[in-house]
Amino acid sequence: MAGKKSGLKLAAVLDLNEATALHGKLLSLRGNDIVIDASAVERCGTQCVQVLLSGAKTWGEDGKSFSVGTMSAAFEKTMQLIGIDGEQMRSREIA
């Protein structure tokens, strides 16, 4: 039986303080397929990127889909600067 598909809208500021909150939000959605909405992100720190990448790995190990839908220019630019292909994250599921 397929799991429920959940969405998670990221905060405008993804800094060190938000990393803990993001971790908690992801944990509450574990067991469901998830689509991340990064359209409102204005600033993105590497701590939150690490949380998202860890989430993607965990979801993959659980056999669930973890994808990033709409991305703001700031989110996409941060991904590029740290060597992550934002377009690849958007166009396919991370597993």
Side-chain angles (χ1 to χ4, degrees):
M1 177 179 223
K4 185 173 98 175
K5 190 148 204 149
S6 298
L8 176 62
K9 186 168 180 76
L10 298 179
V13 178
L14 297 176
D15 58 8
L16 179 58
N17 294 328
E18 182 62 22
T20 301
L22 177 58
H23 178 257
K25 290 173 189 173
L26 285 173
L27 281 178
S28 74
L29 297 171
R30 190 167 181 184
N32 299 308
D33 295 326
I34 190 169
V35 177
I36 304 293
D37 178 354
S39 63
V41 175
E42 297 172 5
R43 290 188 325 217
C44 185
T46 56
Q47 299 89 349
C48 285
V49 173
Q50 290 173 332
V51 171
L52 290 170
L53 292 175
S54 176
K57 183 175 189 229
T58 300
W59 260 246
E61 290 171 353
D62 291 349
K64 300 294 180 182
S65 69
F66 185 104
S67 59
V68 179
T70 308
M71 289 185 255
S72 68
F75 184 85
E76 198 160 3
K77 180 71 172 177
T78 300
M79 296 298 108
Q80 291 171 349
L81 288 172
I82 62 175
I84 298 171
D85 184 353
E87 191 58 39
Q88 185 179 16
M89 290 175 68
R90 178 188 350 240
S91 63
R92 72 176 179 84
E93 292 181 349
I94 303 168

